[in-house]
Amino acid sequence: MTLRISRVDGAVTLTVPRGVSDREALAFAAEKQDWVLGHLSKQEAQALVAPGQTLSVAGSDFHLQMGDGKRLRVIGNVIELPQPIETGRRHLLAWLKEQARAELTRASDHYAAKLGRGYSRLTLRDTRSRWGSCSSAGALMYSWRLILAPRAVLSYVAAHEVAHLQEMNHSAEFWRVVDALYGPHKEARAWLRHEGPKLHRFRFDA
């Protein structure tokens, strides 16, 4: 039996082999309670976006506040949310996805042109286990939450996935392609490893 805790949302998963009773499984989980609580206490708390918060978008900080109109407005480094707050969060999420699509399309187009290869389509999802992927058909997929990361990190993920258009693996040759497209990438990879899970703490639904 094994227990796993997601670094993304703190979900606790208990895996039980065939033949193990519910009583045994629950007893095992109970024995590990202190271990689970200890790990959960170290994780970032979920944050429901609201006026008064500051959100980093493509490396620039934006202050959230309630507006008096029916549409989201961006004025300098201030994002005015329409009322009520539930509507404001939906508009903010839609705007963030628009920014993500624009930035990731720009970066993907840049690296694809540099590589001399085209991709078939680009889609956005709210993935938990990966920041991006590239299919054998040349379809690129990214997490829209990359827009909340520094611009250099977003660009690295785009270069990484575009590199798969040539090398569908993580061989030494693949990393040479990434280096040729993006340049030194250890810092961006380290940021994703240590800071990336925090991007999932932002919630847009009550």
Side-chain angles (χ1 to χ4, degrees), residues 146-194:
L146 284 167
I147 196 63
L148 303 174
R151 192 184 296 270
V153 173
L154 179 149
S155 293
Y156 158 70
V157 176
H160 182 116
E161 300 310 334
V162 166
H164 281 308
L165 294 172
Q166 179 167 313
E167 296 291 334
M168 288 296 293
N169 51 60
H170 287 101
S171 63
E173 181 57 32
F174 165 79
W175 290 110
R176 280 194 285 270
V177 174
V178 174
D179 283 338
L181 294 177
Y182 179 81
H185 57 269
K186 288 186 178 179
E187 187 174 340
R189 289 186 71 193
W191 192 98
L192 280 174
R193 185 167 57 255
H194 297 296

Side-chain angles (χ1 to χ4, degrees), residues 3-97:
L3 273 173
R4 288 180 295 130
I5 301 176
S6 170
R7 293 180 61 202
V8 173
D9 56 11
V12 180
T13 302
L14 171 62
T15 303
V16 181
R18 286 173 180 254
V20 175
S21 69
D22 290 347
R23 178 179 296 180
E24 289 177 288
L26 291 175
F28 175 79
E31 288 176 7
K32 303 296 182 182
Q33 180 177 351
D34 290 343
W35 176 83
V36 170
L37 293 176
H39 277 274
L40 291 177
S41 68
K42 299 174 185 177
Q43 293 200 334
E44 292 284 331
Q46 295 285 296
L48 187 62
V49 294
Q53 293 178 342
T54 297
L55 206 59
S56 180
V57 182
S60 297
D61 288 340
F62 289 86
H63 183 68
L64 304 181
Q65 66 181 42
M66 290 306 301
D68 53 12
K70 294 183 178 181
R71 297 190 177 189
L72 180 145
R73 295 201 306 167
V74 180
I75 305 172
N77 67 333
V78 173
I79 298 177
E80 291 187 350
L81 305 176
Q83 300 183 37
I85 184 57
E86 293 80 8
T87 299
R89 291 191 186 104
R90 287 198 303 271
H91 283 231
L92 176 59
L93 179 57
W95 181 77
L96 288 171
K97 289 180 178 179

